[in-house]
Amino acid sequence: MNIDEAKIKFDFIRNEVNSYIDKIKSETDTRVNIIDRILTEVLGWEKEEIEREPHTASGFVDYLLKYGDKNFLVIEAKKIGFELIETTNQKVSFYKLGGAAIKPAKDGIIQASNYCLTTGATFAGLTNGICWIGFNPFPRDGKPLFDSNSITFPSLESISDKFAMFYDLFSKEGVLEKRYLTQIQKFSTSVTGYYEKLYSVHEMNNNRMIPKSDFQIDLDKFFNEFFTTLAGDNDPEMLIECFVETQDSINAERAMQKISENILNSIQSLNSGTGRELEKEIEFSIETEKTSDIVLIVGEKGSGKSTFIERFFTIILDKNVRSLCLALKIDMANSSGDINYVTKWIYKSLKDCIEKELYKGNSPEYEELQGIFYKEYQRWKNGEFKYLYERDRQEFKIKFGEYIFNKKENNLEEYVINLLYHVVRSRKLMPCIVFDNTDNFSQKFQEAVFQVAESIHRAVFSFIIVPITDKTIWQLSKSGPFQSYDSKSFYLPVPSIKDILDKRIKFLKKKIETEKNGKSYFLNRGIRVKIDDIGAFVSCIEEIFVNEDFTSRRIGWIANHEIRRSLKVFQGVVTSPCLGIDELVKSYILGNMENINPQKITKSLILGEYKGFAQEHSQFILNLFTLKNNLVSSPLTKIRILRLLRDKEASSNDVHESYLTLQEIENYFEPMCVNEDIIVNYIKELISYRLLQTYDPSDDKVYSGQRLSITSCGKIHLEMIMNDEIYISQMALVTEIRNLSVVEKIRKISQQGLNAREYWNGVISTFIEYCLEEDKIFVRLPKDNLYRSQQVIIDELSKWK
């Protein structure tokens, strides 16, 4: 829910409350009719995140709002009519906690402050449902509590008038991000926000795309056809030959096939019996839980789990076995992610899948529905509606049709279960249900999907597959439905980008030979590039990206080893005019192709299709030196954050111990005089470019308890900072800095008639010297071994001076 939706809901509640305010008498009435609704419907707090009346050493807290295992907000509630302010001013105001304006609220303020002290919550509110007071129970300026200030909303109308402020103070996202500190600071002083004028050597508006050559344009379709697609949807042969098999993936295929064959054998063994016998066997299987465990395909994000499953059912599974399966793929990525509607959405998707596979996308015809709901039809015929059946069969059928229609509209779950029963009982097929992309969502959402899958599994003889990340399975194994239900897990490792490209290159080389023998594999795909050029292009790709470990390693790390992202990074490098693939192809054809300088690869990776680095056009490379003009700090701050988390990972024996909470990171940087607002802003940026990851991949909120670790992308960025002059020199030209004289100095270097090596050395030296001087201004390193690695950053960067 965003702030605009929240405002609409608040105004709706405000109008409702105003219409029956005289009927709200007690504190309980106030809570149920106003406070609870505002917290959950407007401010985004989930019901399970709100503790009511928990006992503490200071007493019973009216509301304790939590996220994860951390307490964040205390709200002390009073009944409507309880006066909290002694002023007729109805505008949002900034009052001293011990002042005359909110004197009646003093006892409530003391209560809420004590509750914060005992629970660890860092923000407090006091409300009678109509008037809301927000304050910081732990003032940071050394003043006593009652000398500090609050923000007071005297009425629901004042909240509506200043809703953005109210939302920042009390909403879940506002509290987690500590926006209340900014709002209180904004109203407590007359200080103007701090802004600095920043300058860069190259202005962004002068950056231009480098035009592609005709040859590059001709190669685009070829490249997109064979190097950017993952599943090979339009080319089953490519799907077969280009999937990178590992020993683990082969084992998973064999095990899955064995499981599916065992289940099908059970179904087939029932075929010799009567329909009733089949029903009895299925009922026995449900009752004794003799069907297969749910299968989990476990792998890192981007490991190709979806491709693996598709390939398994398309190619690997024995054709005779496959003919007895009804494959139903539910792509959870198409759902809204709303946990309240996930069950209904799954059953609607299952209904659509079944109808598509069995009825060509249409609903079953009446006679088919009569067979699907045969039990009900017979019960009606011989039971409740026997005499209607005997008197007027047409009317009986209409009434039964209305019954099925209402079931489909109002009890979709039962309708779909009947469809699945029909698949097993009448069609002698095994439903194979794949809940794909479940791990794109939160842990609670995944638990909900797993529970739906388990309920289907218990109700109908079926084979269910849930792809899931290794991190998620570890989390869910500690709590939730994964503890209660049985499942079989098969791990699918991520192949390297080198192996992926090698497979595709070998596939294309074979096709090139076929084309030379008069076939038209490429022409049928609309590719008009000459076959000799295609061959040379493929050989160049092999030379640069397969035979050279430096390139494939860098691409894999930048993409965090995700297959789809790796191919996208690879595409960016190959299509970059900086690489000059057309010239390389010509050189290869002429037999004089030389080894590619790794710096050329790095330049293509960083610049892409532009003359200079442009952050807005870069999905994978982040400028670690950038500043914000309202949060000016050391240009090395992001580097320092990455180094801290790299050290944490290196010192951890278990991957799950390699995380630090945001609070721990802030605490680490506090003795270095680095403001927490700066840390939070830079961490958000590092997460958005995947240099850092959150413990729960679906939880991208940044709050004090959020757990963070460095990614492969973050580590390769650190490596480039310390060892790659291309990265540093390109960032030096576009990074906005505070000192105009440094900018002018770098600009003048280009006018001194230096050779390329001297020019770039001068640019890097000047820029790094500036960064180190700025770092001295904004950062103070404690003389303790805990901060030794932070000093190493200075030592390593000093080599560029």
Side-chain angles (χ1 to χ4, degrees):
M1 177 170 58
N2 60 42
I3 190 171
D4 295 324
E5 294 171 338
K7 175 66 163 59
I8 292 170
K9 290 188 176 182
F10 174 79
D11 285 337
F12 178 79
I13 292 173
R14 174 170 62 95
N15 291 333
E16 275 199 344
V17 169
N18 286 337
S19 69
Y20 57 69
I21 195 168
D22 292 339
K23 297 179 182 179
I24 302 174
K25 305 292 185 182
S26 67
E27 183 179 320
T28 300
D29 290 341
T30 304
R31 290 195 192 189
V32 172
N33 291 286
I34 308 178
I35 302 174
D36 285 4
R37 292 188 64 190
I38 289 176
L39 290 176
T40 57
E41 297 176 39
V42 177
L43 298 172
W45 294 95
E46 302 290 342
K47 290 180 180 179
E48 59 269 22
E49 294 167 344
I50 304 173
E51 274 195 63
R52 295 171 178 81
E53 304 289 346
H55 183 261
T56 71
S58 302
F60 291 93
V61 184
D62 288 340
Y63 292 91
L64 179 61
L65 290 93
K66 311 163 69 85
Y67 188 75
D69 58 353
K70 303 288 184 181
N71 301 322
F72 284 91
L73 172 63
V74 160
I75 292 182
E76 176 67 13
K78 303 298 181 183
K79 69 177 182 179
I80 198 168
F82 186 98
E83 294 297 334
L84 296 178
I85 58 174
E86 286 187 345
T87 175
T88 58
N89 179 18
Q90 290 300 299
K91 292 184 178 181
V92 177
S93 300
F94 190 76
Y95 296 127
K96 187 171 289 189
L97 288 173
I102 56 174
K103 185 177 179 181
K106 186 172 182 179
D107 289 343
I109 290 169
I110 293 173
Q111 278 182 289
S113 298
N114 288 335
Y115 295 149
C116 286
L117 185 64
T118 54
T119 62
T122 54
F123 190 56
L126 177 63
T127 181
N128 59 10
I130 303 300
C131 174
W132 290 68
I133 300 173
F135 64 95
N136 182 358
F138 309 116
R140 297 186 173 194
D141 51 8
K143 293 181 181 178
L145 174 65
F146 283 97
D147 282 348
S148 60
N149 299 291
S150 69
I151 297 180
T152 300
F153 300 82
S155 64
L156 296 180
E157 284 67 30
S158 67
I159 293 175
S160 182
D161 185 49
K162 295 288 185 181
F163 185 77
M165 185 190 305
F166 180 77
Y167 192 79
D168 272 357
L169 289 176
F170 296 107
S171 72
K172 177 179 173 179
E173 63 180 278
V175 170
L176 293 184
E177 295 181 7
K178 298 183 179 180
R179 295 182 196 164
Y180 51 84
L181 294 176
T182 304
Q183 290 291 355
I184 290 174
Q185 180 65 21
K186 191 185 298 182
F187 273 76
S188 63
T189 69
S190 59
V191 175
T192 301
Y194 174 50
Y195 290 88
E196 286 248 18
K197 176 67 176 174
L198 302 176
Y199 312 88
S200 63
V201 177
H202 287 176
E203 299 296 335
M204 288 297 99
N205 56 5
N206 292 329
N207 198 6
R208 295 287 184 269
M209 289 183 70
I210 304 173
K212 289 183 178 181
S213 68
D214 292 339
F215 182 76
Q216 286 176 315
I217 294 171
D218 289 339
L219 280 174
D220 276 349
K221 181 170 178 57
F222 174 83
F223 188 91
N224 291 330
E225 186 79 17
F226 296 106
F227 287 100
T228 59
T229 57
L230 188 61
D233 295 331
N234 301 320
D235 194 340
E237 185 181 4
M238 185 177 171
L239 180 64
I240 295 171
E241 297 200 25
C242 293
F243 183 82
V244 179
E245 293 182 342
T246 64
Q247 189 57 49
D248 287 317
S249 71
I250 293 170
N251 290 342
E253 285 173 348
R254 289 173 180 167
M256 284 177 63
Q257 181 152 353
K258 185 176 180 181
I259 293 169
S260 60
E261 285 175 347
N262 287 342
I263 297 175
L264 284 172
N265 286 338
S266 298
I267 290 181
Q268 287 183 331
S269 68
L270 302 175
N271 289 343
S272 58
T274 64
R276 179 58 189 153
E277 183 180 0
L278 176 62
E279 288 180 357
K280 288 169 68 176
E281 290 296 330
I282 292 174
E283 289 168 359
F284 178 78
S285 294
I286 295 170
E287 186 178 345
T288 58
E289 301 180 26
K290 292 297 183 182
T291 53
S292 166
D293 298 333
I294 291 178
V295 171
L296 305 177
I297 303 299
V298 183
E300 294 181 30
K301 188 172 177 60
S303 61
K305 297 185 293 294
S306 299
T307 305
F308 167 77
I309 292 168
E310 181 178 351
R311 179 175 178 269
F312 170 76
F313 281 110
T314 306
I315 297 159
I316 302 301
L317 194 60
D318 182 83
K319 288 184 178 179
N320 293 326
V321 178
R322 175 66 180 86
S323 67
L324 297 174
C325 293
L326 179 65
L328 303 169
K329 178 182 175 182
I330 308 300
D331 191 348
M332 300 307 302
N334 295 327
S335 75
S336 66
D338 190 331
I339 195 171
N340 297 313
Y341 299 101
V342 62
T343 300
K344 185 176 181 180
W345 186 89
I346 287 174
Y347 280 105
K348 170 67 166 58
S349 299
L350 264 176
K351 178 188 78 69
D352 293 343
C353 282
I354 296 169
E355 290 178 349
K356 179 182 177 182
E357 294 295 326
L358 298 184
Y359 307 104
K360 298 181 180 179
N362 300 314
S363 294
E365 295 183 357
Y366 186 91
E367 289 73 17
E368 292 169 322
L369 287 169
Q370 184 177 325
I372 293 168
F373 292 90
Y374 180 76
K375 278 187 178 180
E376 288 90 339
Y377 189 88
Q378 290 298 313
R379 193 190 72 229
W380 276 43
K381 175 183 172 182
N382 300 314
E384 297 91 332
F385 297 97
K386 175 181 178 181
Y387 294 110
L388 176 62
Y389 177 82
E390 293 174 348
R391 188 193 71 206
D392 190 340
R393 294 190 182 183
Q394 189 71 15
E395 180 63 27
F396 175 88
K397 288 188 173 184
I398 292 172
K399 194 174 187 67
F400 187 74
E402 290 174 349
Y403 165 76
I404 300 300
F405 176 81
N406 289 330
K407 189 178 290 290
K408 184 190 289 189
E409 292 296 309
N410 303 316
N411 194 348
L412 188 59
E413 180 176 342
E414 184 180 343
Y415 177 81
V416 170
I417 293 298
N418 271 279
L419 284 180
L420 291 171
Y421 268 127
H422 169 72
V423 169
V424 175
R425 181 179 59 225
S426 300
R427 299 197 179 235
K428 305 298 185 290
L429 297 173
M430 179 181 66
C432 297
I433 307 172
V434 179
F435 291 90
D436 204 8
N437 292 313
T438 302
D439 48 10
N440 287 356
F441 299 95
S442 69
Q443 179 175 327
K444 288 186 179 297
F445 184 87
Q446 292 177 65
E447 289 180 5
V449 173
F450 191 84
Q451 286 174 325
V452 174
E454 179 64 27
S455 69
I456 295 170
H457 182 246
R458 288 171 180 265
V460 183
F461 219 54
S462 55
F463 182 59
I464 294 180
I465 303 171
V466 183
I468 197 166
T469 63
D470 51 353
K471 186 187 299 181
T472 301
I473 189 65
W474 186 88
Q475 292 169 331
L476 296 182
S477 67
K478 303 299 180 184
S479 61
F482 281 78
Q483 282 188 321
S484 306
Y485 306 132
D486 293 327
S487 61
K488 287 185 174 67
S489 302
F490 301 98
Y491 181 68
L492 189 66
V494 183
S496 70
I497 183 64
K498 182 175 181 178
D499 290 338
I500 294 167
L501 295 177
D502 185 46
K503 278 274 191 177
R504 297 190 182 213
I505 286 168
K506 287 177 179 176
F507 172 76
L508 287 170
K509 281 186 171 182
K510 187 171 77 172
K511 288 301 174 185
I512 289 168
E513 289 303 314
T514 303
E515 196 83 5
K516 287 179 179 178
N517 293 328
K519 304 297 183 181
S520 54
Y521 177 81
F522 295 110
L523 288 174
N524 288 340
R525 282 153 182 77
I527 296 169
R528 301 292 185 263
V529 182
K530 289 188 295 185
I531 198 68
D532 287 342
D533 288 343
I534 291 177
F537 172 74
V538 170
S539 296
C540 286
I541 295 298
E542 182 176 35
E543 185 65 32
I544 300 169
F545 297 95
V546 176
N547 297 338
E548 175 54 64
D549 289 336
F550 167 85
T551 307
S552 57
R553 173 181 175 272
R554 182 154 289 191
I555 288 176
W557 283 51
I558 286 287
N560 284 324
H561 308 291
E562 296 179 24
I563 297 176
R564 209 175 291 274
R565 284 174 65 84
S566 293
L567 289 171
K568 202 167 184 63
V569 176
F570 166 72
Q571 178 185 12
V573 174
V574 173
T575 58
S576 171
C578 299
L579 183 64
I581 191 67
D582 49 346
E583 294 301 322
L584 292 174
V585 168
K586 291 175 185 176
S587 299
Y588 185 88
I589 293 173
L590 294 173
N592 58 4
M593 179 177 169
E594 298 178 358
N595 291 333
I596 301 297
N597 189 325
Q599 290 185 342
K600 200 168 189 178
I601 300 294
T602 303
K603 191 173 181 182
S604 302
L605 180 64
I606 292 171
L607 301 186
E609 299 180 353
Y610 287 82
K611 291 183 178 180
F613 177 74
Q615 189 67 74
E616 66 270 24
H617 300 299
S618 177
Q619 298 182 50
F620 305 102
I621 301 296
L622 177 65
N623 184 352
L624 292 177
F625 297 102
T626 52
L627 303 174
K628 293 188 176 182
N629 63 359
N630 64 330
L631 284 173
V632 176
S633 61
S634 165
L636 306 183
T637 304
K638 280 179 275 192
I639 301 168
R640 292 190 179 284
I641 294 171
L642 289 174
R643 181 58 189 251
L644 170 64
L645 287 162
R646 197 201 74 175
D647 291 345
K648 175 61 176 174
E649 183 194 64
S651 64
S652 302
N653 295 322
D654 188 300
V655 65
H656 304 290
E657 296 175 357
S658 63
Y659 290 79
L660 288 175
T661 66
L662 174 61
Q663 187 67 63
E664 288 172 324
I665 296 171
E666 290 174 343
N667 292 345
Y668 179 84
F669 280 98
E670 186 175 6
M672 297 168 63
C673 301
V674 181
N675 184 281
E676 65 181 36
D677 287 343
I678 292 168
I679 297 297
V680 169
N681 272 273
Y682 286 155
I683 281 179
K684 287 180 180 178
E685 187 177 14
L686 292 167
I687 291 173
S688 68
Y689 277 85
R690 306 198 189 194
L691 279 73
L692 295 183
Q693 62 186 353
T694 57
Y695 184 71
D696 180 349
S698 62
D699 182 9
D700 58 359
K701 296 182 179 67
V702 178
Y703 55 94
S704 61
Q706 179 65 277
R707 298 177 65 186
L708 303 155
S709 73
I710 193 169
T711 63
S712 296
C713 184
K715 286 183 278 191
I716 202 70
H717 271 77
L718 274 181
E719 186 176 299
M720 289 191 293
I721 282 283
M722 300 306 172
N723 302 304
D724 200 308
E725 61 185 26
I726 297 296
Y727 177 85
I728 295 181
S729 61
Q730 292 299 327
M731 299 308 127
L733 297 178
V734 298
T735 299
E736 292 186 319
I737 62 181
R738 297 197 308 146
N739 195 328
L740 182 58
S741 65
V742 174
V743 170
E744 295 297 340
K745 183 177 179 181
I746 294 176
R747 287 174 180 170
K748 286 178 182 178
I749 294 174
S750 64
Q751 303 168 9
Q752 295 175 4
L754 304 173
N755 62 40
R757 169 56 55 194
E758 292 171 330
Y759 168 71
W760 289 118
N761 284 345
V763 169
I764 293 172
S765 175
T766 304
F767 178 68
I768 291 298
E769 185 176 3
Y770 159 79
C771 290
L772 294 175
E773 289 300 318
E774 288 289 293
D775 191 70
K776 289 179 183 178
I777 295 172
F778 291 100
V779 174
R780 295 182 183 180
L781 278 179
K783 296 187 177 186
D784 187 278
N785 193 52
L786 184 63
Y787 295 89
R788 176 75 186 99
S789 67
Q790 296 295 321
Q791 178 59 47
V792 169
I793 292 173
I794 303 301
D795 298 339
E796 292 184 354
L797 285 176
S798 295
K799 73 181 181 184
W800 297 108
K801 290 170 59 178

